[in-house]
Amino acid sequence: MARDVRAARDGVVLRLEQGGFVAAEEEADDLLAAADGDGARLDALVARRLTGEPLAWITGRTEFCGIGLQVDPGVYVPRWHSEALARRALARLPADGLAIDLCTGCGAVARFLSTRRPSARVVASDLDERAVACARANGVDAHLGDLFDPLPPLRADVVVGVVRYVPAPDLPLLQRDTLTFESPLSYDGGADGLAILRRAVAGAARVLRPSGALLLELGGAQGDALGGDLAAHGFVDVTAVVDDEGDVRGVEGTLG
Ligand SMILES: C[S@@+](CC[C@H](N)C(=O)[O-])C[C@H]1O[C@@H](n2cnc3c(N)ncnc32)[C@H](O)[C@@H]1O
């Protein structure tokens, strides 16, 4: 690395460390790459990051399950903790099957599924037009509207969703800066966090084939609370989706 580039990098790392960013070295590398050798641009990008704006909005890129994705400002940045759910959805999707990705955001889960099952059909929905545009830019067949409403009539093998599930009273407890930049539309699950999850269960029961799979991200204790809805809509073999560290990340059920 040339001396002036190293000096610029050291300066960015220091500013990020002083701003309390724990992954300062990695972030500095991403910001330097996005600035592409333009010092003034680098300063502007670092200044944005120091306000707490998501790194992916500044660089325009992120990774999910090893796949590079475009992320536009305002669009939810996919989280690593959703990868366990996406991998379970992949495991349940036949090679020529059909999957629905509810609340697709930038299209991370849908894009992962269609990359790994190129002969499958994957359709997606989101209520936010910035998200739909971003998902389409990522090659996803994304539709604008509420849950299943904007989708064509179809029979699915898999319904997967990283829907909003944070109980409204807990929204102020989200990590620093979250709602300074991101929309409650990505988080607010109503009084008990289950409002969208319940509608997703009911809708999935209408569109899934028998033996089709429903996979929904949720918080640890919400699986039990959703159990009654899953049973009432005919889902059997309901299990928790657990990540590599043993944390519950979602629920999986099969339409009986
Ligand atoms: C937590 S984000 C998840 C995005 C994406 N699945 C991911 O993991 O990166 C939730 C997304 O749901 C969208 N959304 C919220 N309510 C919705 C609804 N009723 N129907 C469709 N999309 C909705 C938001 O715009 C947001 O993009």
Side-chain angles (χ1 to χ4, degrees), residues 189-235:
D192 60 359
L194 300 175
I196 307 290
L197 289 165
R198 289 199 164 106
R199 291 204 289 122
V201 170
R206 289 192 292 269
V207 303
L208 279 169
R209 299 179 197 284
S211 303
L214 171 63
L215 301 109
L216 294 171
E217 182 167 304
L218 41 66
Q222 289 175 324
D224 291 343
L226 204 60
D229 288 74
L230 288 160
H233 286 93
F235 288 95

Side-chain angles (χ1 to χ4, degrees), residues 76 78 103-105 126-128 145-147 162 164 185-186 199:
Y76 179 87
C103 303
T104 194
D126 201 288
L127 206 49
D128 181 345
D146 179 60
L147 298 181
V162 180
R164 48 192 161 106
L185 196 63
S186 291
R199 291 204 289 122

Side-chain angles (χ1 to χ4, degrees), residues 51-144:
T51 68
E53 182 177 344
L55 180 68
W57 290 3
I58 299 168
T59 63
R61 305 291 305 169
T62 195
E63 242 189 49
F64 182 79
C65 290
I67 292 170
L69 294 159
Q70 174 177 322
V71 185
D72 298 335
V75 178
Y76 179 87
V77 181
R79 307 298 206 269
W80 67 269
H81 65 236
S82 303
E83 293 188 353
L85 190 85
R87 293 188 199 287
R88 279 306 305 156
L90 178 68
R92 299 295 303 266
L93 181 59
D96 58 352
L98 194 153
I100 296 171
D101 177 26
L102 298 174
C103 303
T104 194
C106 75
V109 176
R111 178 72 208 184
F112 169 63
L113 294 177
S114 58
T115 301
R116 297 290 295 274
R117 293 273 185 276
S119 299
R121 181 175 175 206
V122 182
V123 296
S125 70
D126 201 288
L127 206 49
D128 181 345
E129 58 189 23
R130 292 170 305 178
V132 170
C134 186
R136 287 179 181 161
N138 283 315
V140 172
D141 180 10
H143 301 255
L144 178 65

